[in-house]
Amino acid sequence: QKEVEQDPGPLSVPEGAIVSLNCTYSNSAFQYFMWYRQYSRKGPELLMYTYSSGNKEDGRFTAQVDKSSKYISLFIRDSQPSDSATYLCAIDEDSNYQLIWGAGTKLIIKP
Amino acid sequence: DAGVIQSPRHEVTEMGQEVTLRCKPISGHDYLFWYRQTMMRGLELLIYFNNNVPIDDSGMPEDRFSAKMPNASFSTLKIQPSEPRDSAVYFCASSPSFRAGAFFGQGTRLTVV
């Protein structure tokens, strides 16, 4: 079992829909949770960064961490065609730098 | 700031040749990371530096790979000799602190034929 599991998709939704992207992880020591967005032929771009459990909101994006279920989510409200990209989760322990990356979910927003 | 700058953007080379990838991190960032991305393996951390010092190179696949950071504004990743299985996109990223999240460059698409 991989330490971080992420459905590769593609996930195709109509414009304006609420999108839910998810990762599950196996190591309960993980404390730092990040979401990156990667457009085709570009480098990943940091979207959201959360520490421990709870929710964090930034504009149309909400990151949610459920440590009891070892489950993290990224919600996108009012999705736009410009949100079409691959979304990667990245998770880290507290004690040292060993960032574990999900495989990425390809998201397609249809106009 | 122009962000993390990588060169070249594309590199096609023959098996056995030496390849050097270059990176200029964001000024003031103390951490520099080299990643490799492939369809099969996703994003893999190869090595990272803190204040120009290599901290963890456990992700470097073989001795054919080496990385240096002679000063705070420049780093190189060298593959010698290159092999077709090294074909991938190589990213350099920098970060202002240990857990701030990294800023990635545009990547170098390497093809070894």
Side-chain angles (χ1 to χ4, degrees), chain A residues 32 36 38 41 49 92 98, chain B residues 37 56 98-99 102 109:
Chain A
Y32 297 87
Y36 283 79
Q38 186 174 22
R41 297 187 174 268
Y49 184 124
D92 195 4
Q98 285 294 336
Chain B
Q37 188 175 40
D56 186 351
F98 195 58
R99 301 207 180 277
R109 186 171 295 272

Side-chain angles (χ1 to χ4, degrees), chain A residues 4-105:
Chain A
V4 177
E5 298 276 359
Q6 186 176 13
D7 187 334
L11 175 63
S12 183
V13 300
E15 183 177 357
I18 296 175
V19 174
S20 173
L21 302 165
N22 311 294
C23 287
T24 59
Y25 62 94
S26 57
N27 188 342
S28 58
F30 289 142
Q31 297 278 0
Y32 297 87
F33 307 93
M34 305 171 206
W35 285 97
Y36 283 79
R37 177 176 63 195
Q38 186 174 22
Y39 291 114
S40 179
R41 297 187 174 268
K42 301 287 188 184
E45 165 193 4
L46 181 64
L47 272 181
M48 302 284 284
Y49 184 124
T50 54
Y51 172 72
S52 198
S53 285
N55 290 1
K56 184 174 183 178
E57 190 173 319
D58 184 1
R60 297 185 294 112
F61 297 89
T62 299
Q64 191 174 80
V65 176
D66 182 349
K67 291 191 72 181
S68 62
S69 302
K70 300 193 185 100
Y71 192 86
I72 65 170
S73 301
L74 178 71
F75 298 96
I76 307 174
R77 291 184 299 279
D78 188 23
S79 55
Q80 306 293 313
S82 58
D83 296 326
S84 299
T86 296
Y87 290 79
L88 302 107
C89 62
I91 305 178
D92 195 4
E93 292 184 32
D94 194 21
S95 57
N96 59 16
Y97 188 91
Q98 285 294 336
L99 202 60
I100 310 296
W101 292 82
T105 298

